[in-house]
Amino acid sequence: MKKTTRLLTLLLALCMILTLSACGKDPVAPVDPVDPAGPTSPEDPNGEGELTKEEQLKELQKKMLENTLAMQQKNKHTIGWLYIDGTTIDDVVVKVDYSDYKNEHYLRLNAYGEYDNDGCYFADWRCKSGGREALSKNTVIYGHNLGRPQNSIFFDKENHANGPKFAQLLKYQDPEFARSHPYIYYSTIEEDMVWQVFAVFYTDISFDYINPAPTDAAYTSLLKKAQDLSFYDYDVEVTSNDKILTLSTCTYRLADNTKLHYPNNYRYVVMAKLLPAGAELADEVALTVTKNAPKQPAAQ
């Protein structure tokens, strides 16, 4: 029944896109990245009062799907939409459909394939996309942390939590933010999905955390190391039977406040596990700050 409903939604959305395109209008406009209508504040389409959490989530996911389908008409590499409440991360995810051994194709291109120093959110070319059953064990998405504040053209090579793209992930250095924003919303064209954060950490690239298809033994080791490195103990059980989402970006400092030259071999990573469809979501979660937590929060 759920697959039938989603298929009907896809067909209706595609019809709308084709109609708008025929009129010479831009299809569905992307969600405003400055003030996204997220899971805590979507408007009630019927004007009947505040939406329940379930209704809020459905409204968010409906908007994500509409925007993903609209972008797919512009770029065939479109595979999904990524949204994190409390950040400006609210945009399409793309992935090349050929071997891109260094994952460089979208490094300085936006989702429209145009040159853009800020780049876009793009999945590792080795990852499999689709519904939850088709996904790789580890879906890896890259984005830039360009070492500058939001809306600034000046690069000062610092970690700015209010910077563009994946610099926003630095907000997870704040324990209060981490407690109150435990979920990542990444959905594909085929299925809506919610992911729960279980690790936030710095690492050097000798740790192969970006392997989309590790063996069970390697996967178990990967999950344990990620949790051992994490700034927080989330008390979230993750096993080799789970699928995870890995968001990876560069960094200009380490947790001990060591300043790094750029480029370097260190990365800042947020990992989340895929929740069952229909899982109940909490307003916030309990966590314990570990010895790995940064000595100095990212600059604003």
Side-chain angles (χ1 to χ4, degrees):
M1 184 65 180
K2 182 178 179 182
K3 290 183 178 179
T4 302
T5 302
R6 190 167 182 81
L7 180 58
L8 289 173
T9 302
L10 286 168
L11 291 173
L12 288 171
L14 284 171
C15 287
M16 179 179 68
I17 291 165
L18 291 173
T19 300
L20 289 172
S21 297
C23 296
K25 296 180 180 178
D26 201 24
V28 182
V31 179
D32 181 356
V34 177
D35 186 20
T40 58
S41 60
E43 296 179 0
D44 181 356
N46 301 316
E48 297 177 351
E50 188 175 347
L51 298 176
T52 65
K53 287 182 182 179
E54 291 76 14
E55 290 170 334
Q56 291 172 7
L57 180 57
K58 286 180 181 178
E59 283 298 307
L60 170 66
Q61 291 175 327
K62 176 184 176 183
K63 192 171 295 186
M64 289 169 65
L65 175 59
E66 289 173 349
N67 286 317
T68 305
L69 289 170
M71 280 300 302
Q72 191 183 48
Q73 302 305 304
K74 298 172 180 289
N75 185 347
K76 68 177 183 177
H77 291 159
T78 298
I79 60 171
W81 197 272
L82 179 66
Y83 172 82
I84 302 179
D85 189 31
T87 76
T88 61
I89 297 171
D90 184 14
D91 211 340
V92 67
V93 176
V94 294
K95 183 179 80 71
V96 297
D97 51 11
Y98 53 83
S99 298
D100 180 21
Y101 293 104
K102 293 185 179 180
N103 287 296
E104 290 181 335
H105 180 83
Y106 278 103
L107 201 60
R108 297 299 175 191
L109 298 179
N110 62 25
Y112 296 93
E114 305 162 336
Y115 176 80
D116 189 333
N117 194 59
D118 288 2
C120 60
Y121 304 125
F122 61 99
D124 192 293
W125 71 273
R126 299 169 295 173
C127 291
K128 295 179 181 177
S129 190
R132 63 181 61 228
E133 296 302 322
L135 289 177
S136 299
K137 285 182 179 179
N138 183 12
T139 296
V140 182
I141 298 176
Y142 304 108
H144 285 304
N145 168 18
L146 292 174
R148 72 172 195 263
Q150 188 78 22
N151 301 321
S152 172
I153 62 172
F154 298 104
F155 292 76
D156 58 5
K157 300 302 181 186
E158 282 287 350
N159 285 340
H160 287 279
N162 69 344
K165 299 299 178 183
F166 270 174
Q168 293 283 308
L169 294 176
L170 294 163
K171 291 182 177 180
Y172 279 100
Q173 290 189 7
D174 177 2
E176 292 308 311
F177 182 91
R179 287 189 184 94
S180 57
H181 297 82
Y183 305 112
I184 294 173
Y185 303 87
Y186 170 62
S187 294
T188 61
I189 292 171
E190 293 79 9
E191 189 166 356
D192 295 323
M193 287 171 279
V194 182
W195 311 70
Q196 183 170 5
V197 178
F198 69 87
V200 182
F201 58 93
Y202 288 112
T203 183
D204 64 71
I205 58 176
S206 64
F207 174 24
D208 189 18
Y209 66 93
I210 60 171
N211 186 350
T215 64
D216 284 350
Y219 194 39
T220 297
S221 177
L222 182 157
L223 296 173
K224 183 179 185 306
K225 183 168 182 177
Q227 290 178 304
D228 287 346
L229 290 172
S230 182
F231 304 160
Y232 315 112
D233 179 358
Y234 278 95
D235 195 26
V236 173
E237 183 180 8
V238 192
T239 72
S240 59
N241 294 321
D242 290 307
K243 293 190 175 182
I244 66 170
L245 177 68
T246 296
L247 308 182
S248 177
T249 192
C250 53
T251 182
Y252 304 97
R253 285 187 181 272
L254 296 179
D256 64 3
N257 209 28
T258 299
K259 191 167 184 177
L260 302 171
H261 295 290
Y262 185 83
N264 59 67
N265 291 329
Y266 291 89
R267 301 293 183 267
Y268 177 75
V269 184
V270 176
M271 283 186 174
K273 82 166 188 175
L274 179 60
L275 295 178
E280 185 175 349
L281 307 183
D283 289 333
E284 63 176 47
V285 296
L287 57 80
T288 303
V289 179
T290 72
K291 60 181 176 58
N292 303 317
K295 303 297 184 289
Q296 176 180 314
Q300 292 297 312

